Amino acid sequence: LAAEFLGMLLFALYGGEARDSAAAYGNGLALAVLVYATANVSGGHLNPAVTLGTIISGHMGWRRGLLYMAAQFLGGIVGVLFQVALIPEASVAMGNEGPGCFTHLGGHYIRVDQLFGWELLMTLLLVSVVYAVAISKPGHGNIGPLAVGYTLFASAFIGGPLTGAALNPARVLGPALIYNCYWNTAFVYIIAQYLGGAVAALLALVLYGPGPEHGGEHEVEAALAGIAVAPAAGANGATKGERAGLIAMSANASSSAAQPGRWEARY
């Protein structure tokens, strides 16, 4: 929880101050760095939409997930308070000019329903990449946080002129509360982002299967127990030592998912 709070605090502080032409670069790099910094502690969610996805797909229990979201929202709020302290022109309740306030008014022609669609799609892509590189097996190892940062960069580069490319409910709520800005569309952002995370989780259930909270990733353990209690083989069968080696090999393969297919097909 501390990692999620501190990571979100720094992301709100850094990302909110990255403005105009530097916004896509600043937010993408900041997210990649902060996911690297927190991934080994908390998983590096740093986004309530990501956490909601993991709850839906069964990769996190709902109680823990709600605590994660609380830490993320609190971190986003405190991060904006740090902006007030560190950015000369920033002040509490300064209104729509607050740094990091999200609005679709930058793209003068975009409607609220279009704002909703862009934020939903961009958040869906972001959370889907998180599943592909960090949650599902085998993932992409140490390059995962960089891929997540690149995804935010791509969305901010394309969608930034239209919506600001928030893709994160905590990034929207923090400035809205502290600067009192753009309340007329703040919850359009938040609902779209949560829905994008939920759709990404449903797609992940189809593509990768459920997480442990929904009974997934346990079938190998049951299968290994069956191997462990198998009777001793004859002269042409496996010895006890060979069976132990098979169990260890299966366990290693299941944890990294380096080999495709069910364990029965592999062994």
Side-chain angles (χ1 to χ4, degrees):
L1 293 177
E4 290 294 308
F5 169 79
L6 291 172
M8 193 64 233
L9 185 159
L10 291 171
F11 186 36
L13 173 62
Y14 275 53
E17 178 54 14
R19 307 186 205 177
D20 302 326
S21 60
Y25 300 95
N27 279 274
L29 288 173
L31 182 61
V33 168
L34 291 169
V35 173
Y36 272 118
T38 58
N40 287 340
V41 181
S42 67
H45 291 198
L46 307 185
N47 188 332
V50 172
T51 302
L52 176 66
T54 62
I55 294 172
I56 292 172
S57 65
H59 290 88
M60 177 172 284
W62 67 268
R63 292 183 180 86
R64 186 180 183 88
L66 291 178
L67 289 173
Y68 263 49
M69 290 186 203
Q72 293 154 359
F73 278 116
L74 185 59
I77 293 168
V78 175
V80 178
L81 289 174
F82 269 83
Q83 286 180 354
V84 172
L86 298 174
I87 299 174
E89 68 270 23
S91 62
V92 174
M94 67 183 294
N96 293 342
E97 299 303 316
C101 287
F102 286 95
T103 174
H104 66 305
L105 298 179
H108 299 290
Y109 56 90
I110 189 171
R111 303 187 308 268
V112 172
D113 61 321
Q114 293 172 326
L115 159 67
F116 184 91
W118 274 104
E119 285 292 318
L120 189 158
L121 289 172
M122 290 188 293
T123 307
L124 189 159
L125 175 62
L126 178 69
V127 179
S128 294
V129 170
V130 171
Y131 272 101
V133 302
I135 298 176
S136 67
K137 306 298 182 183
H140 291 271
N142 289 336
I143 203 172
L146 191 60
V148 174
Y150 275 139
T151 305
L152 179 60
F153 164 77
S155 293
F157 193 78
I158 301 300
L162 299 172
T163 72
L167 284 69
N168 187 324
R171 285 291 309 278
V172 175
L173 188 63
L177 283 173
I178 301 303
Y179 297 129
N180 192 28
C181 59
Y182 298 111
W183 278 109
N184 59 325
T185 54
F187 286 98
V188 177
Y189 279 90
I190 292 172
I191 294 170
Q193 292 153 2
Y194 268 133
L195 184 58
V199 174
L202 295 176
L203 291 174
L205 282 169
V206 175
L207 294 172
Y208 311 119
E213 293 293 323
H214 294 336
E217 301 180 0
H218 292 307
E219 61 183 17
V220 172
E221 296 177 8
L224 295 181
I227 295 175
V229 299
N236 295 327
T239 65
K240 181 177 180 181
E242 289 171 340
R243 289 200 306 277
L246 177 62
I247 293 170
M249 182 171 63
S250 299
N252 291 335
S254 67
S255 63
S256 64
Q259 303 181 52
R262 295 174 60 86
W263 78 273
E264 296 96 333
R266 294 200 302 268
Y267 305 110

